[in-house]
Amino acid sequence: MSTIIRPYGDTTGDGMVQVSFTLPVPLDKRAEGAALQLAQKMGLDPAMVVHAKQMGDGRRDSDQRGAYTFFVVYGRVHHLVDLSKVVVVERDYPLLSAKEVNTAVRRRLRRKVNVVGACIGTDAHTVGIDAILNLKGIAGEKGLESYREFKVANLGAQVSVPELVERARAERADAVLVSQVVTQRDAHLHNTREMSAAFREAFPPQRRPLLVVGGPRFDELATDELGVDRIFGRGTTPREVASYLVHALTREST
Ligand code: B12
């Protein structure tokens, strides 16, 4: 089977894609022309504007924005993707059920796993970390709080790095789970690097908790660059995280 693929819209292999973007101009013919010029520069040829809607009335708002226009453009790309050259982080541990996780912790660790979680920096988007940690969970799965062999401290929003380090120490955390959703000015990368550096300074290597970050816009391949043990992206479920923690924490004790 061929490993070369191309996108399609109307008929297989026609190369059609749809992109959306916003331009800082009011909606008129020139704005549509600008959208098409941008699409062509992005490699869409031919391209057509299939949706355009002006937002704002042209007066400056608190963010100093005037009128701007949202576009959806449909067009053909000539690029191909070679599936054999796609690099991703494959799950390198078994996906366990909650029961299997609890049994593995009991057998291999012989004590509960202590987890501390938080949104750090100024980030107040707690829905993601709550989905992983809180009882109600996400996608039909309960969060780590529901696992008998996990003890979870969810510190919530806008936790400072020194506060997180202190709490991790007090709780004797095996793993620290950090969420970063806001990516403006690469805040998620700066905050994560600051956090991992602080843990390396505060703990000797054998005592340092596992450092796990998550959020919708992380590159899962960037663990070394950010100094963390694992990165989880969009659509993560609690079971994936619990299975990873068991795998990583019991690796040496098996
Ligand atoms: C809800 C929401 C809010 C709520 C947050 C309420 C709360 N308690 O969380 C409120 C209204 C407070 C808010 C405020 C703001 N928001 Co807001 N918000 C959103 C929104 C609509 C949904 C986010 C969400 O809940 N997703 C659902 C969860 C389940 O998904 P998730 O976070 O991706 O989490 C999953 C995975 O990523 C992963 N995961 C996440 N964290 C972790 C951690 C670990 C350890 C692991 C393992 C996995 C993991 O697992 C989760 C489950 O699958 C998004 C837009 C969107 N549709 O995504 C904007 C969005 C995130 N917000 C945005 C912005 C700009 C803001 C504000 C700055 C707006 C403003 N000018 O005031 C403020 C910032 C406040 C602050 N200090 O952080 C931008 C961010 C842009 C950027 N590139 O940074 C977005 C993308 C909207 C946009 N398109 O502009 N927001």
Side-chain angles (χ1 to χ4, degrees), residues 108-234:
R108 298 190 218 153
L109 220 54
R110 295 186 191 92
R111 61 172 176 79
K112 288 191 193 255
V113 171
N114 292 321
V115 174
V116 171
C119 280
I120 60 168
T122 58
D123 205 329
H125 293 86
T126 50
V127 179
I129 189 78
D130 288 349
I132 302 299
L133 296 182
N134 292 4
L135 190 65
K136 76 172 191 279
I138 193 167
E141 292 181 17
K142 289 187 175 153
L144 303 194
E145 269 182 5
S146 72
Y147 288 66
R148 212 174 335 129
E149 302 298 331
F150 278 69
K151 181 169 172 280
V152 174
N154 184 352
L155 312 188
Q158 299 189 328
V159 175
S160 73
V161 167
E163 204 182 329
L164 182 66
V165 170
E166 267 328 295
R167 192 65 187 269
R169 199 195 293 282
E171 299 284 342
R172 297 174 175 271
D174 297 294
V176 171
L177 271 57
V178 161
S179 182
Q180 287 287 269
V181 173
V182 173
T183 60
Q184 287 161 335
R185 293 190 206 92
D186 284 342
H188 63 313
L189 305 180
H190 298 307
N191 291 341
T192 303
R193 284 196 196 99
E194 185 196 337
M195 182 272 297
S196 61
F199 274 92
R200 282 190 166 72
E201 204 179 305
F203 291 88
Q206 325 81 298
R207 304 269 307 278
R208 173 179 68 78
L210 275 181
L211 300 178
V212 178
V213 286
R217 295 201 186 174
F218 275 108
D219 172 0
E220 293 181 352
L221 293 165
T223 45
D224 289 349
E225 193 192 311
L226 297 178
V228 296
D229 298 291
R230 193 86 183 189
I231 299 175
F232 287 90
R234 202 163 29 88

